[in-house]
Amino acid sequence: MSDILKSGQTVYLESSKSPCIVQHFLGGGTQGEVYQAAVAGRSVALKWFYPHYLQQDTLLRQRLERLIKLGPPSDRFLWPLELASADGIPAFGYVMPLRGDRFKGITALMKREVEPGFRTLTTAGFELAHSFLQLHSMGLCYRDISFGNAFLDPDSGEIRICDNDNVDVNRKPGVIAGTPRFMAPEIVNGTGAPCAQSDLHSLAVLLFYLFVLHHPLEGEQEARIRCFDLPAQQRIYGSNAVFIFDPHDASNRPVKGFHDNALAFWPLYPAFFRKLFTNAFTAGIKDPQNSRVRESEWRSALVCLRDSIIYCACGKENFYDADALRASGKPSRCWSCNNELRLPYRMRIGNNIVMLRSLPGLPADNPATRASSSLIQEMGHFWINPAEG
């Protein structure tokens, strides 16, 4: 429940002097509380900080003023708009755009409260990678990429990123180190500080959770631990961080009965996408300055992954994997019904392949699919017959 502001209470925006009327409490955390409020009849979110938190984060006001002046990287960020304060009310706050009800937290995905399809997930992953590329291109770092800060529309994949008061100039010292499980190993070990490079590790962890519903470093080592205390966490996520699917180190494989999401979802994705995760959590851990997967790499891979989606006759989404097809000489089987997939025509654009998808449940040799393929040929693009590799 709210301890600071009450419904109907008025605070004032510091620059415009506009009244901001508190409507109702939305939620609270370690830094403060968030309310729905109204400014000139427009609904906004109002975050109000706890006085004791301001004693810890003494540069917060200065940071917020800088962010307000800079403006958001895009509309995907629920960016600070204006500071707010009022006589007789301790501390201060700021207003930002209100997150719509259609956006759900990544935690809802982990709990299977929402179950978006692969096309939605690839769109959300692309938007996350693109958004953090925009942020980093402004010379900023986020510092605290995690579950609690990213939301997606389970129907479209559109995202929103909140808690942007943590954002600061890249490599500038600050009090925010990150969220456990998402912090880069060098931060966990105490040998590094939050920066754009550590953001890349956190982004890779978030994407792994999005697609595999599991943490990339929690395998056999984690399953053997009976007391998951701070020293144990420092080993798993820091000093002895081992990717659960490391091709050269099998010491931390997922354990059946403990890590079933990882075992079930990992094989569903094409080799090129799994390779990117492997790079992120092997070379990216050993050489954080030079070998982390860049946002642009994730962005390109996620476009290719979305273009790889095909539908089984049962209606379920699957992925075309050219490497697997070349290795076995035949299409893979549907993860849901176990029938061999019937590959549709596909189009090659440079080094990329785009699947000419039919609607769910529509056979690959349906006249509509054949007509689309004929049209592509007439347009002069290169196309690949389903029978070819």
Side-chain angles (χ1 to χ4, degrees):
M1 293 296 292
S2 167
D3 293 323
I4 307 176
L5 304 178
K6 304 301 179 185
S7 178
Q9 195 164 5
T10 299
V11 299
Y12 292 88
L13 304 187
E14 293 188 358
S15 296
S16 64
K17 309 302 181 184
S18 300
C20 176
I21 302 171
V22 177
Q23 294 177 325
H24 59 264
F25 176 72
L26 294 175
T30 58
Q31 297 177 328
E33 297 177 344
V34 180
Y35 306 83
Q36 181 168 325
V39 177
R42 177 172 61 98
S43 293
V44 295
L46 169 66
K47 182 170 182 176
W48 202 271
F49 294 99
Y50 295 126
H52 67 265
Y53 177 75
L54 297 180
Q55 296 175 6
Q56 303 170 29
D57 193 351
T58 57
L59 297 177
L60 175 60
R61 175 180 279 273
Q62 176 184 329
R63 191 165 69 244
L64 285 168
E65 288 173 344
R66 183 188 303 115
L67 295 176
I68 291 168
K69 184 177 180 180
L70 282 172
S74 74
D75 63 358
R76 295 317 193 237
F77 292 85
L78 302 178
W79 203 256
L81 300 173
E82 196 169 347
L83 295 178
S85 59
D87 293 339
I89 304 175
F92 68 92
Y94 69 89
V95 293
M96 57 186 159
L98 188 67
R99 173 171 53 86
D101 291 338
R102 63 189 174 99
F103 293 97
K104 309 299 179 184
I106 307 296
T107 50
L109 177 68
M110 296 298 299
K111 296 175 182 178
R112 311 301 286 269
E113 295 173 355
V114 295
E115 295 188 343
F118 287 128
R119 184 171 181 81
T120 296
L121 291 179
T122 54
T123 300
F126 173 87
E127 289 212 355
L128 284 168
H130 182 61
S131 296
F132 285 112
L133 174 61
Q134 292 176 300
L135 180 88
H136 293 150
S137 296
M138 294 173 65
L140 304 172
C141 68
Y142 189 84
R143 293 178 165 268
D144 193 20
I145 298 173
S146 68
F147 279 152
N149 303 333
F151 297 81
L152 79 155
D153 181 334
D155 294 322
S156 69
E158 188 178 329
I159 66 153
R160 291 293 183 271
I161 299 170
C162 67
D163 286 347
N164 294 289
D165 46 68
N166 297 323
V167 173
D168 205 349
V169 174
N170 189 31
R171 300 191 180 279
K172 186 179 179 66
V175 300
I176 304 297
T179 297
R181 284 186 165 88
F182 288 86
M183 290 188 291
E186 65 270 19
I187 298 177
V188 176
N189 293 333
T191 59
C195 62
Q197 291 300 114
S198 62
D199 276 358
L200 294 180
H201 176 83
S202 302
L203 174 61
V205 173
L206 185 61
L207 290 172
F208 197 83
Y209 266 124
L210 194 67
F211 288 96
V212 187
L213 300 183
H214 190 72
H215 193 284
L217 305 178
E218 293 179 4
E220 185 178 343
Q221 292 186 44
E222 182 260 346
R224 290 199 303 261
I225 295 172
R226 294 294 175 263
C227 179
F228 209 58
D229 54 10
L230 183 59
Q233 293 179 47
Q234 290 174 331
R235 288 197 305 275
I236 296 297
Y237 308 119
S239 59
N240 197 35
V242 177
F243 181 41
I244 58 176
F245 294 112
D246 189 321
H248 305 296
D249 186 345
S251 66
N252 196 31
R253 289 286 184 263
V255 178
K256 188 175 182 179
F258 287 88
H259 312 125
D260 291 339
N261 280 345
L263 292 168
F265 282 95
W266 180 250
L268 302 185
Y269 298 104
F272 76 86
F273 192 57
R274 287 181 280 136
K275 182 180 179 181
L276 210 55
F277 277 125
T278 301
N279 292 343
F281 301 119
T282 54
I285 286 177
K286 296 172 184 175
D287 183 13
Q289 294 305 311
N290 301 304
S291 299
R292 294 229 158 116
V293 178
R294 307 297 308 179
E295 316 92 321
S296 56
E297 294 178 88
W298 285 118
R299 192 174 59 176
S300 298
L302 285 156
V303 168
C304 292
L305 186 66
R306 188 166 58 187
D307 288 340
S308 300
I309 294 174
I310 55 177
Y311 290 98
C312 177
C314 73
K316 298 298 183 182
E317 292 173 309
N318 285 258
F319 293 100
Y320 169 72
D321 189 340
D323 296 290
L325 180 61
R326 283 192 291 267
S328 66
K330 59 181 181 180
S332 56
R333 292 185 174 275
C334 174
W335 61 266
S336 180
C337 69
N338 201 39
N339 286 323
E340 188 175 280
L341 294 168
R342 301 180 68 183
L343 297 180
Y345 282 86
R346 44 203 181 274
M347 180 172 61
R348 187 188 300 279
I349 304 177
N351 294 324
N352 298 325
I353 293 177
V354 179
M355 305 308 291
L356 304 179
R357 293 184 295 270
S358 56
L359 293 173
L362 195 64
D365 59 354
N366 183 274
T369 305
R370 291 200 300 272
S372 298
S373 301
S374 299
L375 179 60
I376 292 296
Q377 294 173 54
E378 292 171 7
M379 291 170 63
H381 292 290
F382 292 98
W383 60 280
I384 304 174
N385 189 289
E388 299 176 358

